[in-house]
Amino acid sequence: MAARDTSSLLVGLLVLFHTWGAWAGVEVNMEDRVEVYRGETAQITCMFTSFDGVSGMPIQWFYTTRSGNKQRIYYQNSTKNGVDGGTPFTDRISVNGTGASGEIVLTINAVELEDELEFICSIKTGEGRTQLKVFETPGPPSIEGVQTGISVNEYSKIGTCEVKNGFPKPNIAWYRNNTPLRAVQNVLKMVPSITTESSGLFSVKSELSMTVRKEDKDDLFYCEVTYFVPGGLRMTETNQINITVYYPSTAVSVWVESPKGKIKEGDSIELHCNGNGNMPSSILSFSYGEGKTLEGNMLVLDNVTRLNSGVYHCSSMDTDTFEEVSGNTTVFINYLDPAVVMPKDSAVVTMGKEFKATCNALSSLQTHTVWFKDEVEVSVGHSLILKDATFDTAGTYTCVVTVPEIEGMETSGTLDVNVQGPPQIINPDFTEVKKSLQEMVDLSCNVRGFPAPSVIWSTSDGKILKTTSQTETKEGVESVVSIKVTADITAFCNASNDFGNDAVTFNITAIDLFSAKPTPTPAATTTSSTIPATTSSTTIPDNTSSSTIPATTSSTTIPDNTSSTAIPAATVKAEIPILPKKIKKEGNGVIIAVIIICILLLAILGSVLYFLYKKGKICGRSGKQDLTKEKTSKDNIVVEMKSDSTEEAVLLGVNGDKQSPRTQ
C-alpha cells in the first residue's frame, strides 16, 4: 500500500517537472502544407515565441527523407549561420530573417517533384513541421473509339481515354450521355492503367468495355479528367465519340422515291428499299412482275406503262443467320389513251347546215377536253357543235384532252372540216391598176370553196389568159396571172365548182411614158394671139388634154417678157403643156403624141421668131423701132403680158403705148 502511494507521487512530480519545462521552452507555429507548381519558388514560414525572448536562439531546418530520417539543410546561432552542403537543397535554398522578430522563412527555388517532403523548423527545444506539395498540370486528355462496328449482345471494347504528364496522379471517369458510368460485372468494365514517366510525372489510361445493345447506337461517350492544383481541384473533358452498332433488320420499308405524287405512262420511276437494321451481312433485293429480281436497295424503271402497275417486294436476308424479313409497296401507273375523234380525219358539211363531232380518250383519271381552231379555243367538252356552217367554219379543229390531276398528261386529235358550197372570191387588195406600157402586172385571185373551185382568167375581148401559178389553200385555191400592158385591159377572174360560180373584174390602165407631166415652165408670163373674127375649135378624141383653137388662138409662154401683139381679125390659142390622162387605144395614143410634139415645136418656133423680131434681127429692124399701127380685121396683133404680182393684164401696142380694152 505504501509502495503504491510512493509510485503515484513520483509520477506526479515527473509530470509537473515536464510541464514546467514546456512553459519555460519555445513555442513554434507553422502551416500544415505549402502548395506550389513544379519549377516555381516555395516559401515555408516558421514563427516562434519564447518566455526567455527570441534573440540569439539556435535555429535549424531539416527535411524528412523517403526513409523517415531527418536531414539538416540549414543552421543558425548567435555567432554563425550557413547552408549544409551535400544535400539536394544546398544550391536552391535561402533563409530570410535572424529570428529576432520571431519569424524566419525558408525559400526553395526551382521546386522539383522530389521536393514534395516534410520540412522541420527546430528552435531550441521547440519545432514545427510543414508538408511541401508539388503540382504539375497534365496535358489535354484524348479519347479514341473502336473503328469497327460492334454487333448487338457482343461484349466489346468501346474506347480508350488517356491523360499524360500530371502530378499528382490524375483521375479518369467515363460518361455516357452526360451520365457517369459505374462498373457492372459482365456488362460494363473500366480498366485504368498508370504509367510513371522518367520525369516522375504520371500518365493515366482507362479502357471502357461493355455489352452493346441496339439502343447504344445513338449514345455519346466521353471522359472526364480531374487533377489537383495549388489550392483546389480542376476538371477537363474529352470530345464525344459514337460507336457503330450492328443489329439485324426486323422490318423492311419500300417506297417510290420519284416521281412524287401520281405516276403516268412514260415516266421513269425510282423505288427505294431499306431495312431497319444495319448488319453488314444483310442483302437487300427487289422482286416484281413475273419472277423478276434485282439485288440492291434501288430499282429504276424507265418509260413505264400501265403494265408496270403491281406489287413490288423487297427482302433483307442475313447471310450469317439466313434470317429474312421483307416489305412491299403497290405501284399504279395512270394512263391516257390517244384521243379518238369522230368523224375520223375529215368531214364535209353543207353550207348553212349543222355539224357535230366528238372527241374521247380512255383514262384512269378524270379528263378535261377543249377544242381549238387556229390556236383559239372554240369549245369546251367532248362534243363540238357547229351551227349554220359557212366557209369561215371550215378549217382544222384540234381537241386537247388533259388530266388535271397530273401536269403534262395530255393527248390530242384533229379533224379537218370542209364546207361545200359555191365559190367565194376573197376581195382582192386592188382591182384598179395603172401601169406603164410594156410592163408586167401580176393579178391574184384567192377563192375559197369546196370542192376546190376551178379558176379561169379572161379579158373583155374574150381572150383566155394562161395562169402563171395556181396553189391549193386550206380554204380553196389561189390563182395568179401575169399580163403585159400594151393598152388598157379589163381582166376577169372566173371561179366555179359544182355548186356555183363567182367572178371579179380587174381594170388595167396603160400609161405612156411620153404623156408624163413635164416640169412647169418657171416663168409666169403668157403670150396669146387672138383673132376675134372667127372661132374654130379642134378637139382630139380619147385624150383628157385637148388642143382647142377658139377663134384661131395661139398662146405661147415666154419667160420675163411683157410685150404683146394683137391681131383682131382672128384668134389662135395654144396652151402648153397639153397632157393626156387616158389612152384607150394604142393607135390613138401614138397620133396624139405626134400632134402634141408638133404643137410644142410650133409654139417654140413662134416664140423664137418673135424674140428675134423684137431685137431687130429680122428685116433690119431694131427692138426700139415703132410698128405701124394698122388696124385691120386680120392683122392686128396683141401681146398680153401677165405677171405673178398682179392680176391685171396690160395690153401694149407695137409702139409701146398702153391701149384700152376698146382698142384691143
Side-chain angles (χ1 to χ4, degrees), residues 67-125:
S67 61
N69 297 323
K70 290 175 61 176
Q71 175 70 47
R72 193 180 75 172
I73 57 176
Y74 178 82
Y75 67 91
Q76 175 183 320
N77 56 33
S78 59
T79 59
K80 61 179 180 179
N81 60 52
V83 177
D84 292 302
T87 70
F89 302 98
T90 300
D91 300 325
R92 296 188 294 122
I93 64 171
S94 62
V95 176
N96 299 329
T98 61
S101 62
E103 179 177 315
I104 190 169
V105 179
L106 172 65
T107 301
I108 306 173
N109 297 316
V111 174
E112 299 176 355
L113 297 179
E114 293 79 5
D115 296 341
E116 188 171 276
L117 299 168
E118 183 181 56
F119 290 84
I120 302 169
C121 176
S122 177
I123 302 175
K124 201 175 182 180
T125 60

Side-chain angles (χ1 to χ4, degrees), residues 528-536 549-555 565-573 631-639 664:
S528 301
S529 296
T530 304
I531 303 174
T534 61
T535 300
S536 177
I549 308 177
T552 316
T553 301
S554 176
S555 176
T565 302
I567 302 175
T571 302
V572 178
K573 184 177 182 181
K631 296 182 180 179
T632 64
S633 60
K634 294 182 179 180
D635 297 328
N636 267 352
I637 298 175
V638 178
V639 179
Q664 297 177 31

Side-chain angles (χ1 to χ4, degrees), residues 577-599:
I578 302 174
L579 302 177
K581 293 184 179 179
K582 289 186 179 181
I583 299 176
K584 292 185 178 180
K585 295 183 180 180
E586 184 177 2
N588 292 339
V590 174
I591 295 172
I592 294 173
V594 172
I595 294 174
I596 292 174
I597 292 173
C598 293
I599 295 174

